Amino acid sequence: MISVDEARAVVRAHARPLGGVERVRLAEALGRGLAGPLRADRDDPPFDRSMMDGFAVRAADATPGRALEVVGRIAAGQAELPRVGPGEAAWINTGAPLPPGADAVVPVEQTRGEVEIVEGVAAGDNVLPRGALARKGDAVAPPGPLTAERIAVCAAVGADPVDVVPRPRVAVLATGGELTEDPGAHEIRNSNGPMLRSLLEGCDVADLGTAPDDPAALGEALAEGLRHDVLVTTGGVSKGELDLVRPALEKLGVEVAFHGVALQPGKPVLFGTHAGGAAFGLPGNPVSALVCARLLVLPYVHALQGGGFDDVLRPVKGRLASAVRASAKRQRVFPCRFRDGAVEPLPWRSSADLYTAARADAWLVIGIGKDLAAGEEVTCLVPRPR
Ligand code: AMP
Ligand code: MG
């Protein structure tokens, strides 16, 4: 059985950005992988910008008690600007260009009437100089999936439409004869499929539904899944005699890179490759599937979209609120809540406990054999929003 780090290294080694470029409207670009670095089309701000409502002045003139003559008014978006000479000032709005002659803005709160200076300023005060945020040609967003913030950057530099890489084509298949939409007393609903589909926002997801633990039907569904860049299955990868996913994948030409990772939950996870892409066989228990998806599948997909393999989970340090036992053989990944630097482990009722997972906002990493005491400094992994 390999370690989590080794498994991640194997997956990372197979993750190469998808080629090709598509041009999409910014309104449809959330979660899409930016194709290449985005560059500023001009200086930002494009002019020396007032950061306050007040008076544009020559700082040397704006001394406490001094009265200045107001020679004009400047609104944001105004093109014609008055010249500010010695002893003069111009009314100015936040966001308006600093007029010629002026070198600072006195906030209105530091003045009286029109206009006496109450509190002075130094040259440059309350002015954001041209190009202070970005210079024309600067790279302003790295490649990788577009977040709301990066969408704002695209809008600011006029990148609408924007060039993105094609969506990774990902097939999701839940396996298990017990899965059905209308369960009898002996059956359950498929919660993994909708979870994975949601985690894969920004991808072109084909939800293949469920397949029974039957070689023929399973083989057919897997064959369909392998026609995508990535196939993600859940269930059927453990040691039971109906755990048929591995042999069925191998029969279809998948070369298994690893099967079994020293991870709890998630030990049976499988990763393989074939000419057309990659296949992840996640365990069926919902929390196992979730942990394996976060540690292995999402980093892989992020890298296909031009992002960093490590960028989907942010390690944060905090103090442990209560003791947690390690496993002697496997690295544990434990659901917890992270508040003001305090890491509160949530009650663990098995890897089937998706209800606890749904309350977690961070995952505590517990090294093999390393019991953790209350008050210890620990590392959590916090998923980044997509
Ligand atoms: P398996 O990995 O096939 O041995 O399944 C492990 C456990 O996860 C069993 O209790 C399954 O019933 C359950 N399980 C498998 N697939 C799903 C699924 N798609 N949604 C919810 N639970 C599942
Ligand atoms: Mg099963």
Coordinates of all heavy atoms in Angstrom, one line a residue, residues 173-179 186-196 209-210 213 234-240 242-243 245 268 282-289 351-352 354, ligand 1:
L173 N -19.7 7.6 -12.5 CA -20.5 6.4 -12.4 C -20.5 5.8 -11.0 O -19.5 5.6 -10.5 CB -19.9 5.4 -13.4 CG -20.6 4.0 -13.4 CD1 -22.0 4.0 -14.0 CD2 -19.8 2.9 -14.1
A174 N -21.7 5.7 -10.4 CA -21.8 5.1 -9.1 C -22.1 3.6 -9.3 O -23.1 3.2 -10.1 CB -22.9 5.7 -8.3
T175 N -21.3 2.7 -8.7 CA -21.6 1.3 -8.9 C -22.1 0.7 -7.6 O -21.7 1.1 -6.5 CB -20.3 0.5 -9.4 OG1 -19.5 0.3 -8.2 CG2 -19.6 1.3 -10.4
G176 N -23.0 -0.3 -7.7 CA -23.5 -1.0 -6.5 C -24.9 -1.5 -6.8 O -25.7 -0.6 -7.1
G177 N -25.2 -2.7 -6.6 CA -26.5 -3.3 -6.8 C -27.5 -2.8 -5.8 O -28.7 -2.9 -6.1
E178 N -27.1 -2.1 -4.8 CA -28.0 -1.6 -3.7 C -28.5 -0.2 -4.1 O -29.4 0.3 -3.4 CB -27.3 -1.6 -2.4 CG -26.2 -0.6 -2.2 CD -24.9 -1.0 -2.7 OE1 -24.8 -1.6 -3.8 OE2 -23.8 -0.6 -2.1
L179 N -28.0 0.4 -5.1 CA -28.3 1.8 -5.4 C -29.6 1.9 -6.3 O -29.7 1.3 -7.4 CB -27.2 2.5 -6.1 CG -25.8 2.4 -5.4 CD1 -24.7 3.0 -6.3 CD2 -25.9 3.1 -4.1
H186 N -34.1 -2.7 1.8 CA -32.8 -3.3 1.7 C -31.9 -2.5 0.7 O -30.8 -2.9 0.4 CB -32.9 -4.7 1.1 CG -33.7 -4.7 -0.2 ND1 -35.1 -4.4 -0.2 CD2 -33.4 -5.0 -1.4 CE1 -35.5 -4.5 -1.4 NE2 -34.5 -4.8 -2.2
E187 N -32.3 -1.4 0.2 CA -31.6 -0.6 -0.8 C -31.3 0.8 -0.3 O -31.8 1.3 0.7 CB -32.4 -0.5 -2.1 CG -32.6 -1.9 -2.7 CD -33.6 -1.8 -3.8 OE1 -34.6 -1.1 -3.7 OE2 -33.5 -2.5 -4.8
I188 N -30.4 1.5 -1.0 CA -30.1 2.9 -0.6 C -30.1 3.8 -1.9 O -30.0 3.3 -3.0 CB -28.7 3.1 0.1 CG1 -27.6 2.6 -0.8 CG2 -28.8 2.3 1.4 CD1 -26.2 3.0 -0.3
R189 N -30.1 5.1 -1.6 CA -30.0 6.1 -2.7 C -28.6 6.4 -3.1 O -27.7 6.2 -2.2 CB -30.8 7.4 -2.4 CG -32.2 7.2 -2.1 CD -32.9 8.5 -1.9 NE -34.4 8.3 -1.7 CZ -34.9 8.3 -0.4 NH1 -34.1 8.5 0.6 NH2 -36.1 8.1 -0.3
N190 N -28.4 6.8 -4.3 CA -27.0 7.2 -4.7 C -26.7 8.6 -4.3 O -27.2 9.6 -4.9 CB -27.0 7.0 -6.3 CG -25.7 7.7 -6.9 OD1 -24.7 7.9 -6.2 ND2 -25.8 7.9 -8.2
S191 N -25.9 8.8 -3.3 CA -25.6 10.2 -2.9 C -24.2 10.6 -3.5 O -23.9 11.8 -3.6 CB -25.5 10.3 -1.3 OG -24.7 9.3 -0.8
N192 N -23.4 9.6 -3.9 CA -22.1 10.0 -4.4 C -22.1 10.7 -5.8 O -21.4 11.6 -6.0 CB -21.2 8.7 -4.6 CG -20.8 8.1 -3.2 OD1 -20.8 8.8 -2.2 ND2 -20.5 6.8 -3.2
G193 N -23.1 10.2 -6.6 CA -23.1 10.8 -7.9 C -23.4 12.3 -7.9 O -22.6 13.1 -8.4
P194 N -24.5 12.7 -7.2 CA -24.7 14.2 -7.1 C -23.6 14.9 -6.4 O -23.3 16.1 -6.8 CB -26.0 14.3 -6.3 CG -26.7 13.0 -6.6 CD -25.6 11.9 -6.7
M195 N -22.9 14.3 -5.5 CA -21.8 15.0 -4.8 C -20.7 15.2 -5.8 O -20.1 16.4 -5.9 CB -21.3 14.2 -3.6 CG -20.1 14.7 -2.9 SD -19.5 13.7 -1.5 CE -18.9 12.3 -2.4
L196 N -20.3 14.2 -6.5 CA -19.2 14.3 -7.4 C -19.5 15.3 -8.5 O -18.6 16.1 -8.9 CB -18.8 13.0 -8.0 CG -18.2 12.0 -7.0 CD1 -18.1 10.6 -7.5 CD2 -16.8 12.5 -6.6
G209 N -25.1 7.8 -14.0 CA -26.0 7.1 -13.1 C -25.4 6.0 -12.4 O -24.3 6.1 -11.9
T210 N -26.1 4.9 -12.3 CA -25.6 3.8 -11.5 C -25.5 2.5 -12.4 O -26.1 2.4 -13.4 CB -26.6 3.4 -10.4 OG1 -27.9 3.1 -10.9 CG2 -26.8 4.6 -9.4
D213 N -23.5 -4.5 -9.7 CA -22.3 -5.3 -9.6 C -22.4 -6.6 -10.5 O -22.4 -7.7 -10.0 CB -22.1 -5.7 -8.1 CG -22.0 -4.5 -7.2 OD1 -21.2 -3.5 -7.5 OD2 -22.8 -4.4 -6.2
T234 N -17.6 5.2 -8.2 CA -17.6 4.9 -6.7 C -18.1 3.5 -6.5 O -18.9 3.0 -7.3 CB -18.4 5.9 -5.9 OG1 -19.8 5.7 -6.3 CG2 -18.1 7.4 -6.2
G235 N -17.6 2.9 -5.5 CA -18.0 1.6 -5.1 C -17.3 0.5 -5.8 O -16.6 0.7 -6.9
G236 N -17.3 -0.7 -5.3 CA -16.8 -1.9 -6.0 C -15.3 -2.0 -6.2 O -14.8 -2.6 -7.1
V237 N -14.5 -1.3 -5.3 CA -13.1 -1.4 -5.4 C -12.4 -2.0 -4.2 O -11.2 -2.0 -4.1 CB -12.4 0.0 -5.7 CG1 -12.5 0.3 -7.2 CG2 -12.9 1.1 -4.8
S238 N -13.3 -2.6 -3.3 CA -12.7 -3.2 -2.1 C -12.3 -4.7 -2.3 O -12.1 -5.0 -3.5 CB -13.6 -3.1 -0.9 OG -13.9 -1.7 -0.7
K239 N -12.4 -5.5 -1.3 CA -11.9 -6.8 -1.4 C -13.1 -7.9 -1.5 O -12.9 -9.1 -1.6 CB -11.1 -7.2 -0.2 CG -9.8 -6.4 -0.1 CD -8.7 -7.0 -1.0 CE -7.7 -6.0 -1.4 NZ -6.8 -5.5 -0.4
G240 N -14.3 -7.4 -1.6 CA -15.5 -8.3 -1.7 C -15.5 -9.0 -3.0 O -14.9 -8.5 -4.0
L242 N -17.9 -9.2 -5.0 CA -18.6 -8.4 -6.0 C -18.0 -7.0 -6.3 O -18.6 -6.1 -6.9 CB -20.1 -8.2 -5.5 CG -21.0 -9.4 -5.7 CD1 -22.4 -9.1 -5.2 CD2 -21.0 -9.9 -7.1
D243 N -16.7 -6.9 -5.8 CA -16.0 -5.7 -6.1 C -15.3 -5.9 -7.5 O -14.1 -6.3 -7.5 CB -15.0 -5.3 -5.0 CG -15.7 -4.9 -3.8 OD1 -16.8 -4.2 -3.9 OD2 -15.3 -5.1 -2.6
V245 N -14.8 -3.6 -10.1 CA -14.4 -2.4 -10.9 C -13.0 -2.6 -11.5 O -12.8 -2.4 -12.7 CB -14.5 -1.1 -10.1 CG1 -13.9 0.0 -10.8 CG2 -16.0 -0.8 -9.9
P268 N -9.3 1.8 -0.2 CA -9.3 0.9 -1.5 C -9.1 1.7 -2.8 O -9.1 1.1 -3.8 CB -10.7 0.3 -1.4 CG -11.3 0.7 -0.1 CD -10.6 1.9 0.4
L282 N -13.2 5.3 -6.8 CA -13.3 5.7 -5.4 C -14.1 4.7 -4.6 O -15.0 4.0 -5.2 CB -13.9 7.1 -5.3 CG -13.4 8.2 -6.2 CD1 -14.1 9.5 -5.9 CD2 -11.9 8.3 -6.1
P283 N -13.8 4.5 -3.3 CA -14.7 3.6 -2.5 C -16.1 4.1 -2.5 O -16.3 5.3 -2.7 CB -14.0 3.7 -1.1 CG -12.7 4.3 -1.3 CD -12.8 5.1 -2.6
G284 N -17.0 3.3 -2.1 CA -18.4 3.6 -2.2 C -18.9 4.4 -1.0 O -19.9 5.2 -1.1
N285 N -18.3 4.3 0.2 CA -18.8 5.0 1.3 C -18.6 6.5 1.0 O -17.6 7.0 0.6 CB -18.0 4.6 2.6 CG -18.7 3.6 3.4 OD1 -19.9 3.7 3.7 ND2 -18.0 2.5 3.8
P286 N -19.7 7.3 1.3 CA -19.7 8.7 0.9 C -18.5 9.5 1.4 O -17.9 10.3 0.6 CB -21.0 9.2 1.4 CG -21.9 8.0 1.4 CD -21.0 6.9 1.8
V287 N -18.1 9.3 2.6 CA -17.0 10.2 3.1 C -15.7 9.7 2.5 O -14.8 10.5 2.2 CB -16.9 10.2 4.7 CG1 -15.8 11.2 5.1 CG2 -18.2 10.6 5.2
S288 N -15.5 8.4 2.3 CA -14.3 7.9 1.6 C -14.3 8.5 0.2 O -13.2 9.0 -0.3 CB -14.4 6.4 1.5 OG -14.7 5.8 2.7
A289 N -15.4 8.5 -0.5 CA -15.4 9.0 -1.9 C -15.1 10.5 -1.9 O -14.3 11.0 -2.7 CB -16.8 8.8 -2.5
S351 N -17.1 6.0 7.9 CA -17.0 6.7 6.6 C -18.3 6.7 5.8 O -18.3 7.2 4.7 CB -15.9 5.9 5.8 OG -16.1 4.6 5.8
A352 N -19.3 6.2 6.4 CA -20.7 6.4 5.8 C -21.3 7.7 6.2 O -22.4 8.0 5.7 CB -21.6 5.2 6.1
L354 N -22.0 10.9 6.0 CA -22.0 12.1 5.2 C -22.6 13.3 5.9 O -22.4 14.4 5.6 CB -22.6 11.8 3.8 CG -24.0 11.3 3.7 CD1 -25.0 12.4 3.8 CD2 -24.2 10.6 2.4
Ligands
AMP1 P1 -18.3 -0.5 -1.6 O1 -17.2 0.5 -1.8 O2 -19.0 -0.9 -2.9 O3 -17.9 -1.7 -0.8 O4 -19.5 0.3 -0.8 C1 -19.2 0.7 0.6 C2 -20.4 1.2 1.2 O5 -20.8 2.4 0.5 C3 -21.6 0.3 1.1 O6 -22.3 0.5 2.3 C4 -22.4 0.9 0.0 O7 -23.8 0.6 0.1 C5 -22.2 2.4 0.1 N1 -22.3 3.1 -1.2 C6 -21.8 2.6 -2.3 N2 -22.0 3.4 -3.3 C7 -22.8 4.4 -2.8 C8 -23.3 5.6 -3.4 N3 -23.2 5.9 -4.7 N4 -24.0 6.4 -2.5 C9 -24.1 6.1 -1.2 N5 -23.6 5.1 -0.6 C10 -22.9 4.2 -1.4

